[in-house]
Amino acid sequence: TLTRTQGPLYKQVTKDIHEPTAEQLQNLYEKRLHTYKLAHILLPSQELADSVFERIKKKQNFVKLVKQYSFDKTWGDENGEWHNWFLYGSMGGEFDEKIVNAMPLVALPPIKTQYGYQIVTVIRKKDRASKPFNKEVSWLKSVYWGMEKKRTFFNYQNSLSAKYNFSFVENVAEIIIAASTEQPDGMPDIDMKKLNAAELKLVLATFDGGELT
């Protein structure tokens, strides 16, 4: 509730986003002239993501690794392919930049996102039907503010994780991810009915001075 896009903490952290310049809007417009079909493996930790990526570099089958390791329950099918085409601005931050600069059919090293660590491959790229720049300025401003808010809040979360040595307990994180469902705003949430009494008491994460169950 605090951290969702309509939550008080999210609003407080992202309240000072500046007005975009004409150059920033033009750059955003140009990066949104194409859409991308993606396949990914979603992982809970840097260590596991690095390990899986090493297997990909050794030519192990991407789809088999998706089925063995990916915790994605909402975006993609059983082979890791996203249901929807990706458009720059959808995620915000490093992920978007990596996608628009990626070589087709080459897996990218793990990218940290608000959902976990993602190993992504661009399967296809196509032109997007768009209006002239001057007809999209108002919409581009909304996209820009949305991206900047995501980036700002993500950086805030990372700063807290570093400050308090926040760390997920990997095997418990897997249980929580398996019990997650997608909410109307696209964010994952935990379906508590999928967890038994013992699982509800497990330590999900540790940090300086405490733990999270």
Side-chain angles (χ1 to χ4, degrees), residues 164-169 172 198-213:
Y164 296 105
N165 293 316
F166 188 90
S167 177
F168 279 109
V169 178
V172 179
E199 289 172 336
L200 289 171
K201 296 178 181 179
L202 293 172
V203 176
L204 172 61
T206 61
F207 55 90
D208 288 351
E211 58 188 28
L212 176 67
T213 60

Side-chain angles (χ1 to χ4, degrees), residues 40-52 65 68-72 110-119 166-178 204-205:
H40 81 155
I41 305 174
L42 179 63
L43 301 154
S45 70
Q46 179 77 63
E47 293 76 16
L48 182 57
D50 289 341
S51 175
V52 172
L65 292 171
Q68 184 175 356
Y69 291 104
S70 184
F71 298 117
D72 174 29
I111 306 169
K112 186 177 181 181
T113 71
Q114 60 266 49
Y115 306 104
Y117 291 84
Q118 300 196 52
I119 300 171
F166 188 90
S167 177
F168 279 109
V169 178
E170 190 168 302
N171 63 324
V172 179
E174 295 175 13
I175 295 171
I176 298 300
I177 292 170
L204 172 61

Side-chain angles (χ1 to χ4, degrees), residues 119-176:
I119 300 171
V120 187
T121 298
V122 174
I123 302 172
R124 294 183 295 280
K125 173 183 175 181
K126 68 179 181 180
D127 294 338
R128 168 178 168 263
S130 57
K131 299 176 182 178
F133 173 74
N134 63 340
K135 300 290 186 182
E136 290 206 355
V137 170
S138 295
W139 175 243
L140 288 169
K141 285 184 178 180
S142 297
V143 173
Y144 174 86
W145 283 321
M147 290 181 65
E148 283 299 293
K149 285 181 178 181
K150 289 177 185 176
R151 182 188 62 79
T152 300
F153 195 74
F154 184 54
N155 289 342
Y156 171 76
Q157 291 175 308
N158 283 340
S159 69
L160 290 181
S161 294
K163 181 177 180 180
Y164 296 105
N165 293 316
F166 188 90
S167 177
F168 279 109
V169 178
E170 190 168 302
N171 63 324
V172 179
E174 295 175 13
I175 295 171
I176 298 300

